[in-house]
Amino acid sequence: MPSCSPDCCLFQAVEIIKVYSEDGAGKVVEVPADMRARDVCQLLVYKSHCLDDNSWSLVEHHPLLGLERCLEDHELVVQVQASMTSDSKFLFRKNYAKYEFFRNPLNFFPEQMVAWCQVSNGSIPQSQLLQNFLNSSSCPEVQGFLYLKESGRKSWKRLSMFLRRSGLYYSTKGSSKEPRHLQLLSDLDDSSVFTVTTGRKLHNAPTDYQFCIKPSKVRSECKELRMLCAEDEQSRTCWMTAFRLLKYGILLYQNYKSPQQRKSPVSHFSTPVRSVSENSLVAMDFSGRTGRVIENPLEAQSAAVEEGQTWRKRGHRMNALGSPSLLHPSSLSSVIHRTQLWFHGRIIREESHKMIMQQGQVDGLFLLRDSQSNPKAFVLTLCHHQKIRHFQILPCEEEGQMLFSLDDGSTKFTDLIHLVEFYQLNRGVLPCKLKHPCTAVAL
């Protein structure tokens, strides 16, 4: 038999995958056997002209099972695809919470849920929390109550559970940690943790905070899935984050700290163009010989209004001279926001919740949408402390000019772009500043 040429071997080492965006459009990508999820994301970022802020993720989505998870940056995409069924697919999506636990660990690990498994009544010092998860010689443990869906039945059972490096256990006798009372439910090495996307009604779940542990070798056998349900969002996030940390350890920290050292197939490409909003995140004053950043909120707001008025006067003069204009300047402020990635038009409240949850419930994650109750108004949907809140933006007229405000007219803006940029710099009446735009990119 003739030997395989190097070119032939290289060809055989490449797989074809298809990645989908939120709008259902797909893009075919050639993926070498050693290409990681982060590499694929960088390739898609370049092809889609997105800003690479290290928050893009490749999502493993199983529609029939109602499960999905974000691949870790170091995972080999070809290996993951080999364990997926024909109906499963990859999605390209933002995930701002991917490494948020490194920046704000106290928000992810409630003190009462984390302990030393060697000491029954001891807790891990908060300053050493992540170090103990990353150090393979230490033995942190996440503990608490979870609902477990009983195999072959629709009923759920509330059990005391313990997550350790060796796996997830439940107690057969109350909250006892005695070895004879602990039953292994799932190991970590050959399993992955998924979010359940089908809602609580399908599985008759006791709460909205479902997740699932799926063995890597299992494709579609529902009986092998470990369907779990937490009592609130914070505890669910704690269980799922601890699962990732205990499974991958220092690899996650390396993914977080060294993006420039990752193998990148597109390192020679130029940085994609940023959006209008991203290019003007600070208010500037250029009236003097040199520019300066405007830090005073009232001065920034006044400058924004003045800038809008100057721009409109210039537009009126241009139109008077006969310059072509697709839109009258007075109407442009009412539609210019539709060019921004954070604006999502006529989506309903439930859809905005879904998008925020999919892209990571971190403080400052936001989007704007049309109001369902008031056709002339808009709604700011904002995440703060893992809770989603909605703020109505109302139009108001002043001296014949249409302005926008979300604090009953105390602070007014010429258009929604100015409004968003103001609250990216100043919290104002909001619980936190606008930080992460919830975006949906078409491939």
Side-chain angles (χ1 to χ4, degrees):
M1 180 178 295
S3 60
C4 180
S5 67
D7 290 342
C8 179
C9 292
L10 181 62
F11 177 77
Q12 291 177 343
V14 175
E15 295 282 344
I16 301 297
I17 69 167
K18 193 168 185 179
V19 184
Y20 294 84
S21 56
E22 300 290 354
D23 63 359
K27 186 180 290 291
V28 174
V29 182
E30 291 185 350
V31 179
D34 64 343
M35 198 172 197
R36 297 171 292 182
R38 174 59 182 161
D39 302 330
V40 173
C41 287
Q42 285 184 302
L43 182 62
L44 293 171
V45 161
Y46 170 73
K47 289 180 176 291
S48 304
H49 307 289
C50 307
L51 178 68
D52 188 8
D53 55 3
N54 297 320
S55 63
W56 292 100
S57 292
L58 204 59
V59 178
E60 178 185 350
H61 180 66
H62 300 269
L64 294 184
L65 297 176
L67 306 176
E68 66 180 30
R69 74 174 182 100
C70 291
L71 271 63
E72 304 297 349
D73 282 346
H74 64 270
E75 288 191 78
L76 299 179
V77 177
V78 171
Q79 288 186 4
V80 175
Q81 181 171 254
S83 67
M84 296 167 59
T85 59
S86 58
D87 68 285
S88 304
K89 57 186 177 181
F90 289 117
L91 305 177
F92 183 52
R93 180 191 296 161
K94 283 273 192 181
N95 179 17
Y96 292 107
K98 183 162 56 172
Y99 299 121
E100 186 67 16
F101 56 88
F102 283 121
R103 293 180 281 266
N104 299 293
L106 300 185
N107 293 342
F108 284 76
F109 298 100
E111 187 174 359
Q112 71 275 12
M113 290 185 65
V114 185
W116 292 104
C117 60
Q118 300 100 322
V119 184
S120 59
N121 59 352
S123 62
I124 297 176
Q126 295 288 2
S127 60
Q128 297 294 315
L129 191 64
L130 288 180
Q131 288 88 332
N132 286 321
F133 274 107
L134 297 174
N135 185 356
S136 59
S137 63
S138 65
C139 193
E141 174 185 89
V142 172
Q143 58 187 10
F145 286 94
L146 285 172
Y147 294 94
L148 172 66
K149 190 169 189 276
E150 298 186 83
S151 181
R153 303 175 62 182
K154 291 186 177 182
S155 58
W156 295 72
K157 191 172 184 179
R158 188 172 183 265
L159 297 168
S160 179
M161 295 201 181
F162 308 92
L163 181 61
R164 301 173 178 174
R165 294 192 189 280
S166 55
L168 178 64
Y169 299 83
Y170 66 89
S171 178
T172 58
K173 187 176 182 180
S175 299
S176 173
K177 290 186 180 181
E178 292 186 31
R180 62 194 178 97
H181 295 146
L182 293 183
Q183 180 70 41
L184 179 66
L185 182 66
S186 177
D187 62 17
L188 276 63
D189 291 339
D190 298 321
S191 302
S192 296
V193 63
F194 287 77
T195 301
V196 179
T197 61
T198 49
R200 61 187 296 186
K201 289 185 178 180
L202 181 64
H203 300 288
N204 195 33
T207 76
D208 291 319
Y209 312 106
Q210 299 177 75
F211 63 103
C212 173
I213 297 177
K214 176 180 174 292
S216 302
K217 64 180 182 295
V218 172
R219 294 196 173 191
S220 59
E221 292 83 355
C222 293
K223 62 182 179 180
E224 297 293 333
L225 304 179
R226 304 302 185 189
M227 302 293 295
L228 299 161
C229 199
E231 295 179 332
D232 54 53
E233 183 59 56
Q234 187 180 40
S235 59
R236 175 172 70 168
T237 301
C238 178
W239 286 105
M240 296 182 69
T241 304
F243 188 102
R244 293 173 58 206
L245 275 168
L246 291 174
K247 178 177 180 178
Y248 295 111
I250 197 67
L251 274 174
L252 292 191
Y253 186 71
Q254 292 170 348
N255 291 343
Y256 164 62
K257 291 298 291 183
S258 305
Q260 71 278 2
Q261 297 177 7
R262 297 188 184 105
K263 176 184 174 184
S264 172
V266 291
S267 58
H268 59 282
F269 293 137
S270 59
T271 303
V273 178
R274 303 173 76 179
S275 72
V276 173
S277 179
E278 290 163 339
N279 272 330
S280 50
L281 293 181
V282 294
M284 297 290 295
D285 174 21
F286 293 101
S287 59
R289 296 183 64 182
T290 59
R292 68 180 179 90
V293 176
I294 302 176
E295 297 182 351
N296 185 297
L298 294 178
E299 186 183 358
Q301 183 263 336
S302 176
V305 173
E306 183 178 352
E307 178 188 351
Q309 292 173 341
T310 302
W311 178 78
R312 278 176 175 75
K313 290 178 182 177
R314 184 167 64 248
H316 279 298
R317 290 196 300 269
M318 293 294 288
N319 282 339
L321 294 173
S323 299
S325 176
L326 296 177
L327 288 170
H328 192 275
S330 62
S331 65
L332 190 55
S333 64
S334 64
V335 296
I336 187 64
H337 52 270
R338 298 188 183 276
T339 65
Q340 301 301 296
L341 295 175
W342 39 254
F343 187 76
H344 295 273
R346 293 185 176 183
I347 63 171
I348 61 176
R349 175 184 286 239
E350 290 74 18
E351 184 66 18
S352 69
H353 275 236
K354 179 182 177 182
M355 293 184 68
I356 293 287
M357 293 180 68
Q358 286 177 339
Q359 297 193 20
Q361 297 180 67
V362 298
D363 286 357
L365 179 57
F366 74 98
L367 62 84
L368 266 70
R369 56 188 174 87
D370 291 317
S371 172
Q372 293 176 268
S373 57
N374 185 344
K376 295 183 179 180
F378 303 92
V379 175
L380 167 67
T381 300
L382 174 66
C383 184
H384 181 245
H385 288 175
Q386 296 185 331
K387 294 183 179 179
I388 301 173
R389 300 179 60 181
H390 304 272
F391 302 87
Q392 194 166 55
I393 301 171
L394 296 173
C396 54
E397 190 171 338
E398 186 175 279
E399 297 180 354
Q401 182 180 28
M402 187 62 69
L403 303 174
F404 300 91
S405 175
L406 60 70
D407 58 5
D408 295 324
S410 297
T411 314
K412 298 183 282 287
F413 303 91
T414 55
D415 56 51
L416 294 185
I417 294 180
H418 280 141
L419 183 147
V420 166
E421 291 175 349
F422 176 83
Y423 287 105
Q424 285 176 320
L425 295 170
N426 311 279
R427 190 181 75 176
V429 296
L430 300 177
C432 64
K433 295 179 184 178
L434 306 184
K435 187 176 181 181
H436 304 294
C438 189
T439 64
V441 173
L443 292 174

